[in-house]
Each structure stands twice: as structure tokens, then as C-alpha cells.
Amino acid sequence: MVVRWSSTCMMLVRAVQLRPFMENFIFELARSESDKNKSKKLYDLILTDDEWDRVELMKKILACASRSQQAFSSDTHPTLAKAIPAIEGLHRSWEKRSTDDRYAPFHHALLAGMDKINKYYERTEDSDAYIFSMILDPAQDMAEEIFSRRWKDLSGELR
């Protein structure tokens, strides 16, 4: 299923903000339902505290992706120079969470997400534009660490 990480993150943020209203809405629907089976099913839709805790964790996971996306998204200025650092930062964030016991329910999702990130990262090797954009961007500090990892020397030994 194609889902935008930032959009999902924003939906979860909003759900947490509206938690009391959502719970009240479901409660009132369930209470007004005359069919006992339907009423029980509606009551079962009310999330437990543990489920809300899991929503909070998921929100934190997706917030990493949202920040990464925002780092190289703009309508007003070039952002290609920020692509590699943003991708690497997201990978590091998710890698740390993938070994954190609190995020155990999301372990497989984090691994799948990191796999997807790796595929995008590998695509940057097909074009030198990413590295050159980092060098030419006056807002960057030459991105020396990334540059030196990608090229051992400019005289011929590429990657």
C-alpha cells in the first residue's frame, strides 16, 4: 500500500490531539446503538492506553521520516544538496529504534523501512549530481565526510 510517511505522521499527531473527542464520539455511538452485538463492536473500537502508547511510538518513528522529507522539500530553493544527509539521518534514526526494546512491535516495519531507504540511497550512486550539489551549495560546509566516503580521490579512483 502506497502511504506517505509525512501524511500518516500528521494523521497520528491529529488523532492524539483529538483522543478525548474520538473516544467520546465512539462511546456515544456505541451507547446509542440498540443492537448489543453492534454496540460491543463499537465499544471495542475505543483504544486502550497501551494502544495509545503504541500510536505515540509510531508517531515518533514517522516524525523521523517527516523531518527527513522536509529537509529536502522546497518550492523556493534548491534542496538536492540535502538529500544524502537527510537519507542517512533517517536511516540512523530508524536503525537506533530498531534495536530499542520499546519499539519491538515495529521491528519488522523499521527493517522494511530501512530497506526502502537503502534502495533510494543506492540510487544516489547513479548520479554524481548529489555530491556536486553538496559541494556547490553555499549553505553547506562542503559535506566533507560524505564527499570523502563517496570519492577516495578525484584523480581517478571513484567510489
Side-chain angles (χ1 to χ4, degrees):
M1 177 165 95
V2 177
V3 177
R4 303 284 187 249
W5 291 333
S6 292
S7 300
T8 305
C9 181
M10 289 175 13
M11 286 188 287
L12 292 178
V13 167
R14 191 70 174 144
V16 169
Q17 290 171 343
L18 296 176
R19 176 183 175 176
F21 304 103
M22 291 172 42
E23 289 174 346
N24 188 52
F25 177 74
I26 296 169
F27 178 80
E28 291 299 327
L29 279 177
R31 193 174 66 84
S32 64
E33 178 58 56
S34 57
D35 183 315
K36 299 247 187 249
N37 287 333
K38 288 182 182 178
S39 179
K40 183 189 177 333
K41 287 180 182 180
L42 287 167
Y43 277 120
D44 289 343
L45 292 175
I46 297 173
L47 298 183
T48 66
D49 288 340
D50 287 343
E51 290 170 324
W52 279 110
D53 289 344
R54 194 174 284 194
V55 168
E56 286 288 346
L57 290 174
M58 185 65 183
K59 189 175 78 168
K60 289 177 183 178
I61 290 169
L62 293 176
C64 298
S66 183
R67 280 190 304 274
S68 179
Q69 178 198 344
Q70 296 306 315
F72 61 99
S73 298
S74 175
D75 291 335
T76 60
H77 58 279
T79 59
L80 186 60
K82 297 176 183 173
I84 291 175
I87 290 170
E88 288 179 345
L90 176 57
H91 192 279
R92 274 191 309 276
S93 297
W94 282 1
E95 190 171 37
K96 286 178 189 172
R97 283 172 174 76
S98 73
T99 60
D100 185 331
D101 289 342
R102 292 176 295 168
Y103 293 90
F106 301 103
H107 181 78
H108 292 293
L110 286 164
L111 293 178
M114 288 187 298
D115 185 49
K116 183 61 113 175
I117 292 166
N118 285 334
K119 288 178 183 169
Y120 282 109
Y121 188 76
E122 288 169 5
R123 288 182 185 175
T124 67
E125 292 181 357
D126 295 339
S127 172
D128 297 333
Y130 296 95
I131 298 298
F132 286 119
S133 69
M134 291 180 352
I135 294 168
L136 298 173
D137 184 1
Q140 297 293 318
D141 293 334
M142 170 78 171
E144 188 173 323
E145 177 190 341
I146 294 169
F147 182 80
S148 64
R149 272 187 289 156
R150 294 295 283 265
W151 276 290
K152 294 193 178 182
D153 69 48
L154 292 176
S155 64
E157 261 194 42
L158 297 179
R159 289 174 245 185

